[in-house]
Amino acid sequence: MKISTKVNLGFGVLVCLAIFISGLGGIIMQRATAMESLLTHLHQINESLLETRRHEKNYLLRKDDHYLQLVDQWLLRLDGLLKETMDDFKEKPVLVAKLQEVLHLKENYANQVKLLAQAPQESSSLVESARKVHQTLDTLLQEEKKRAEEEYNEYNSMFIILMFVVTISYVILLPLVMYSVNSSLRGGIRFVREVAAGNLNASMEEHNYDEIGYLLEALRDMANSLQAKEDENLRGQMSRLALSGLLETSLEPLSQSDQLRAALQIILTIPWLKVRTGAIFLTDEESGDLHLIASEGLSPHLQESCARVKPGQCLCGLALMEKRMVVSAPGDDRHSIQYEGMAPHGHYCAPILSRGKVLGVLNLYLHEKHVPVAEEMALMSAVTNTLAGIIERKRVEQKLQHLAHHDILTSLPNRVLFHEHLAQALSLSSRQQKKMAVMLIDLDHFKQVNDTLGHQAGDQLLTETAQRIKGCLRASDMVARMGGDEFAVILLEVVQMEDAGRVADKIIQSLVQPFHIQGETCHIGASIGIAIHPDHGNKEALLARADEAMYQVKLSGRNGYRFWSEGEGETGSPRA
């Protein structure tokens, strides 16, 4: 039976008390609504300030005027919110005075921003003025929260006293009403107090389905909604911090594998994602297969099995082939890579896309009972977009690095990289007390081919020459194009001078073989000068003496090799 029915059977005085309590409740709700509105305004002001400072920090870090424009926009929004709050609560002079103080500090902060645009290096005053605004606003927010709690406790005490009077009346007049109302109130008061104390997950005891019960249900729904919103905001903040961490990782001077390994660790430490195992694959540009580049928590057996994944193979290969996220549950037939003893698990396999091209795949391993949700999938999309930017940035850096140190035509190391390698090789040779050789190679009759068949044919000849020379060397040796038709070779760990001679002879024999260029058969040769370290000196002396030896080969008829010596003698005979 509803309370209203029971009261109608009681005394009219209870109706009066109920009306009085309702009026008081209305006043309490009105005050609570006003205070909640004020706190909402203050939170909006605080969020605007936080957003302003975030763009300010981005500008200080990256010196991008775009972020300075965003700072100006958010300062305008902050100014509007402050003035709007002062207008809405002008009946509170103390509050208005504090807001005016915040507004004044904000104006000083805005002036510092303008100065920063003129002198980017002067940022200390900006940070100090921003901190003052933040501290003043935070103090005001805490004071208003405390005042709201005090007012709420005061009205709550009055409400409890009046309800106690009503309860006594019901105990005397209507025992049945007493039982139903008290059972609801006890659980409701405990529930309200827990919610007021910040426990939005407070549970509510079983109650009668009367008016108070419905009210408590509404309060419980409100608390659940607030808790869900708070959890959502917290998850959003964690996600933003993770994405920010990923972007910061891309700026670190790390190799691509180290960058992606650090990125994977950041992803796996997002608390609300509840994923602790994962892997990142990169797409091989030549074969199109996926290669495991970073992993966390994978067993050695799984790392070996997933080291290379072909398009369409298992879930990662499916994500690569279909260019879409693949979500799977335990026991999915598409999960083809398995081994005995593998624990049941699900997957998020998200392709890392850039301009429609799959750069790789992010694979997260889910708990057996994990239920995928849209929020997680949205985060996966944001993460893969960020990873795509990291990978593209690193590839651009690698391409620029390659162009700076390699010959564009032959892809061999250029003069700059050759000198760097030579310095390292000399240091290693001295430390290990082993000989090394430097060869300078100049092509014979190249100009004749270039002038007869054209520069395009000459370029093709140089490219094939580079490959033939490279094929005559060990993996530890190096060949570089020094410019024009001149090449240089570094031979490490030369036991005897004759070893270098055999390599030179092998190169000569390789280059005298006919070249088939644009339907024509071309013949060239090579004049090679050789200097040995430490017998013939250090870096500058080696290069000069190898060049002198090569010149002597040219004078002696070309197409041969010669070791440098102080006299005219040669240890290798020039060939006709």
Side-chain angles (χ1 to χ4, degrees), residues 16 38 48 90 148 160 231 234 250 257 413 431 456 474 516:
C16 296
L38 173 58
S48 296
K90 56 188 176 183
I160 292 173
D231 291 344
L234 183 60
S250 69
S257 60
R431 186 165 60 251
Q456 185 174 358
R474 300 167 298 180
H516 300 286

Side-chain angles (χ1 to χ4, degrees), residues 127-145:
V127 174
E128 182 60 27
S129 62
R131 186 179 294 113
K132 287 182 179 179
V133 178
H134 208 125
Q135 290 175 346
T136 305
L137 182 58
D138 187 63
T139 301
L140 176 58
L141 183 59
Q142 297 303 321
E143 289 176 352
E144 292 303 320
K145 285 183 177 180

Side-chain angles (χ1 to χ4, degrees), residues 286-304:
E286 294 183 1
S287 66
D289 297 342
L290 291 176
H291 289 264
L292 182 63
I293 193 73
S295 65
E296 191 74 22
L298 297 188
S299 67
H301 185 89
L302 196 55
Q303 291 184 38
E304 181 181 354

Side-chain angles (χ1 to χ4, degrees), residues 440-455:
L440 291 183
I441 305 171
D442 190 82
L443 302 185
D444 299 328
H445 311 301
F446 170 76
K447 187 176 185 301
Q448 180 180 352
V449 175
N450 200 46
D451 293 343
T452 303
L453 300 181
H455 293 295

Side-chain angles (χ1 to χ4, degrees), residues 15-30 159 162:
V15 177
C16 296
L17 287 174
I19 295 174
F20 179 74
I21 292 173
S22 299
L24 180 61
I27 295 174
I28 294 173
M29 291 299 292
Q30 183 179 6
F159 183 77
L162 289 173

Side-chain angles (χ1 to χ4, degrees), residues 7-135:
V7 171
N8 287 334
L9 298 176
F11 297 93
V13 66
L14 297 180
V15 177
C16 296
L17 287 174
I19 295 174
F20 179 74
I21 292 173
S22 299
L24 180 61
I27 295 174
I28 294 173
M29 291 299 292
Q30 183 179 6
R31 294 290 182 88
T33 301
M35 184 55 67
E36 182 180 0
S37 175
L38 173 58
L39 292 177
T40 299
H41 277 71
L42 293 178
H43 277 298
Q44 290 177 346
I45 293 172
N46 190 46
E47 289 176 358
S48 296
L49 178 58
L50 288 174
E51 191 68 19
T52 303
R53 295 208 66 193
R54 185 173 73 84
H55 294 305
E56 164 212 319
K57 291 176 181 178
N58 282 334
Y59 175 74
L60 293 176
L61 178 64
R62 304 177 184 178
K63 304 302 181 187
D64 189 341
D65 291 343
H66 170 69
Y67 292 105
L68 201 59
Q69 295 174 3
L70 291 175
V71 170
D72 292 335
Q73 294 175 9
W74 280 98
L75 280 174
L76 289 175
R77 175 176 171 79
L78 181 60
D79 185 85
L81 289 172
L82 285 168
K83 292 178 180 178
E84 179 183 350
T85 305
M86 287 190 289
D87 291 338
D88 291 346
F89 297 93
K90 56 188 176 183
E91 70 279 0
K92 295 185 176 184
V94 176
L95 174 64
V96 172
K98 292 181 179 179
L99 289 173
Q100 288 177 341
E101 180 183 357
V102 174
L103 184 62
H104 175 71
L105 292 172
K106 191 278 301 178
E107 293 296 333
N108 184 43
Y109 176 39
N111 291 334
Q112 293 297 328
V113 171
K114 294 178 180 178
L115 293 175
L116 180 66
Q118 301 172 2
Q121 68 278 7
E122 299 295 331
S123 62
S124 58
S125 299
L126 172 68
V127 174
E128 182 60 27
S129 62
R131 186 179 294 113
K132 287 182 179 179
V133 178
H134 208 125
Q135 290 175 346

Side-chain angles (χ1 to χ4, degrees), residues 418-419 422 436-442 482 486-491 500 504 526-533 535-555 560-566:
F418 171 79
H419 283 283
L422 179 58
M436 60 159 289
V438 174
M439 295 182 181
L440 291 183
I441 305 171
D442 190 82
M482 306 296 283
E486 184 177 351
F487 297 83
V489 172
I490 299 174
L491 298 179
S527 299
I528 303 176
I530 309 172
I532 304 295
H533 174 78
D535 300 351
H536 299 159
N538 285 320
K539 184 178 178 182
E540 289 75 11
L542 284 174
L543 293 173
R545 289 168 176 176
D547 185 68
E548 183 178 343
M550 179 182 70
Y551 180 70
Q552 292 298 324
V553 175
K554 291 282 189 184
L555 294 178
Y561 69 88
R562 183 191 299 270
F563 288 97
W564 181 85
S565 63
E566 294 185 3

